[in-house]
Amino acid sequence: MGEHCGTTVVRNASTSSSFCGSSLKRNMCPHPGVYAGMCMRCGQEMDDEFGVAFGYIHKKLRLASDEISRLRDKDLKNLLRDRKLYLILDLDHTLLHSAQFPDITVEEGYLHNQMDALPDNLKSSLFRVERMQMMTKLRPFVHSFLKEASNLFEMYIYTMGERPYALEMAKLLDPGDNYFSSRIIAQGDCTQRNQKGLDVVLGRESAVLILDDTEAVWGKHKENLLLMERYHFFASSCKEFGLNCKSLSQLKSDESETEGALPTVLKILQRIHNLFFDEERQNNLEDRDVRQVLKAVGKEVLKDCKVVFSRVFPTNFPAEQHTLWKMAEQLGATCSTEIDPSVTHVVSTDAGTHKSRWAVRENKYLVHPKWIEASKYMWRKQPEENFPISSHAKNK
């Protein structure tokens, strides 16, 4: 490089000065971001795999890890000043449910043929998206949820659907474009196949909450996740997930506008927000971690409960590794493999087992495993009498 520069100086001093200065600038440039293959600061051509793609913000935009960290820190300061956190929202089965026209069953045909005769609450939340040949049903309370949540959070949409679908759904959810702006992340923005990640979110992980019906896609960020009960409005969804039940549309019913999943989770989000910004806490806002707050709120659900399982896990399966065992512990329960006077609940699928009969004899609660799942989704201990179990001939 030195020889080349020296030759240029002899030949043309002004050109040499410009060239060497530009080269030096490029060599020293940290390349914070790339747009259309060129560094946004020095103009150098960059590799297509540079940094992380943020195409949902601006087409062909890629950012280096240091720049991402800088932007996150800066944005967090501004957000905390406004007493806000980040909220990532899934679409399908969380905020809404969509079905392709061919998947609408004969039993659901009234949705096509009697649209004008539908009850007002159903008619106002059901949409025919002709250009995508699908019908979309918004979850009850969703507009009120978004309005209330927007006061506490900067919100993102994050879906495994394609971008055209995500944008179409955003129009239904946010027709005034008040909530999401460009913060709509779709399948093509993910950096790992079949996984969602916060690497493409310009929010520090310690200030991010996630609302999704699928835990498996958030492999690296389960501590940020509030798991939602799936919204099965159309029959195709029950079939997809192997559920032996009728969908809400088949029942000509819907979730409660006041007691359903979204109003329930909104109260939890408000509580977490209040605890995070609690002025009596000693540490600085930027040092706080919303994941610890979420964990603490979760552990209040089944605190003071001691649970024993009976005929729930496969034989020889390590009980401590089972999903239900882990779920109960996350909700604050103590789990055990043996019965003793301190046990409060026996969770079983068979009322005839030795442990189940002991529970009845000792006046302990005997409940179906769905009691734990329901308590998790509703964020409070559910009435035990709503989860009875049937008796079978076999004893354990």
Side-chain angles (χ1 to χ4, degrees):
M1 177 65 76
E3 285 184 10
H4 180 72
C5 247
T7 306
T8 308
V9 169
V10 173
R11 217 175 36 238
N12 189 321
S14 62
T15 304
S16 167
S17 174
S18 173
F19 178 81
C20 287
S22 176
S23 298
L24 186 62
K25 180 182 174 184
R26 290 182 178 185
N27 288 335
M28 294 178 65
C29 180
H31 308 309
V34 169
Y35 178 73
M38 296 178 65
C39 173
M40 295 186 298
R41 181 173 292 179
C42 71
Q44 180 177 328
E45 289 189 12
M46 302 296 294
D47 190 278
D48 286 342
E49 298 303 310
F50 172 89
V52 178
F54 283 83
Y56 69 92
I57 295 177
H58 211 298
K59 200 174 179 182
K60 300 180 181 179
L61 173 67
R62 304 183 73 90
L63 297 174
S65 57
D66 286 350
E67 180 67 3
I68 293 171
S69 296
R70 187 188 72 80
L71 291 172
R72 282 175 177 161
D73 289 345
K74 181 181 178 183
D75 198 51
L76 182 64
K77 284 185 174 69
N78 294 332
L79 212 60
L80 294 178
R81 197 177 301 125
D82 293 335
R83 293 180 64 83
K84 284 189 173 185
L85 296 168
Y86 302 95
L87 181 61
I88 313 298
L89 297 167
D90 173 52
L91 286 179
D92 292 291
H93 299 108
T94 298
L95 298 183
L96 50 81
H97 186 206
S98 297
Q100 297 287 333
F101 286 161
D103 294 330
I104 304 292
T105 66
V106 174
E107 195 175 355
E108 298 171 294
Y110 73 96
L111 297 173
H112 282 302
N113 306 327
Q114 304 167 30
M115 186 73 87
D116 290 338
L118 295 175
D120 288 343
N121 63 324
L122 186 55
K123 188 162 45 176
S124 63
S125 60
L126 187 67
F127 298 88
R128 290 176 60 90
V129 187
E130 299 289 351
R131 60 191 297 265
M132 302 194 117
Q133 290 295 286
M134 66 168 49
M135 191 171 279
T136 294
K137 172 67 175 64
L138 302 186
R139 200 165 199 167
F141 193 72
V142 69
H143 287 303
S144 297
F145 171 87
L146 292 174
K147 183 179 179 180
E148 293 294 326
S150 68
N151 295 321
L152 310 177
F153 300 94
E154 183 170 272
M155 300 187 296
Y156 285 73
I157 284 174
Y158 200 144
T159 176
M160 281 298 198
E162 301 286 348
R163 174 156 295 277
Y165 173 72
L167 294 175
E168 200 69 35
M169 295 303 102
K171 288 179 190 174
L172 300 181
L173 293 166
D174 183 18
D177 197 22
N178 298 313
Y179 305 133
F180 302 111
S181 186
S182 63
R183 298 184 298 274
I184 300 174
I185 304 173
Q187 186 184 81
D189 301 303
C190 300
T191 58
Q192 191 176 342
R193 186 174 175 82
N194 298 323
Q195 283 287 299
K196 296 178 178 180
L198 296 180
D199 52 345
V200 293
V201 174
L202 287 180
R204 199 196 284 176
E205 289 180 27
S206 59
V208 174
L209 291 172
I210 302 165
L211 214 56
D212 203 315
D213 69 285
T214 306
E215 185 177 32
V217 297
W218 290 103
K220 295 180 180 177
H221 306 288
K222 291 181 181 178
E223 290 184 334
N224 301 77
L225 176 65
L226 288 83
L227 192 63
M228 288 287 289
E229 186 174 11
R230 285 197 176 104
Y231 184 47
H232 298 288
F233 185 77
F234 298 104
S236 56
S237 181
C238 295
K239 183 179 178 182
E240 177 188 351
F241 288 95
L243 301 177
N244 186 25
C245 62
K246 293 201 171 215
S247 69
L248 290 166
S249 63
Q250 290 172 303
L251 295 170
K252 298 188 177 180
S253 180
D254 208 348
E255 285 185 353
S256 168
E257 185 80 24
T258 56
E259 302 292 330
L262 287 178
T264 297
V265 82
L266 177 63
K267 291 173 187 171
I268 300 303
L269 290 171
Q270 290 168 332
R271 183 148 179 245
I272 292 170
H273 182 276
N274 288 337
L275 289 171
F276 183 93
F277 287 99
D278 185 356
E279 293 178 1
E280 293 185 7
R281 294 178 66 184
Q282 299 301 312
N283 57 337
N284 295 327
L285 281 175
E286 289 181 42
D287 296 329
R288 298 180 188 179
D289 195 326
V290 76
R291 291 169 292 193
Q292 297 304 315
V293 180
L294 175 59
K295 194 175 184 180
V297 170
K299 281 191 172 293
E300 293 178 9
V301 176
L302 295 182
K303 69 176 182 177
D304 302 327
C305 295
K306 184 171 181 179
V307 176
V308 165
F309 295 90
S310 178
R311 199 163 288 160
V312 174
F313 313 140
T315 307
N316 299 326
F317 187 91
E320 296 85 353
Q321 298 302 314
H322 196 275
T323 303
L324 276 173
W325 182 292
K326 291 180 179 179
M327 188 182 293
E329 286 189 330
Q330 288 168 359
L331 297 176
T334 301
C335 296
S336 174
T337 55
E338 301 298 329
I339 51 177
D340 65 55
S342 65
V343 169
T344 59
H345 294 74
V346 171
V347 178
S348 180
T349 57
D350 184 354
T353 70
H354 167 66
K355 292 174 181 174
S356 296
R357 295 200 312 274
W358 173 87
V360 174
R361 189 169 64 249
E362 297 296 321
N363 201 27
K364 307 291 186 179
Y365 289 114
L366 178 61
V367 291
H368 192 275
K370 289 186 181 298
W371 172 74
I372 296 176
E373 295 175 359
S375 296
K376 179 178 177 66
Y377 287 128
M378 298 306 292
W379 289 88
R380 61 179 179 271
K381 184 162 72 77
Q382 294 300 289
E384 287 84 356
E385 61 269 20
N386 293 348
F387 298 87
I389 57 175
S390 58
S391 179
H392 297 288
K394 292 183 180 179
N395 292 337
K396 183 178 177 182

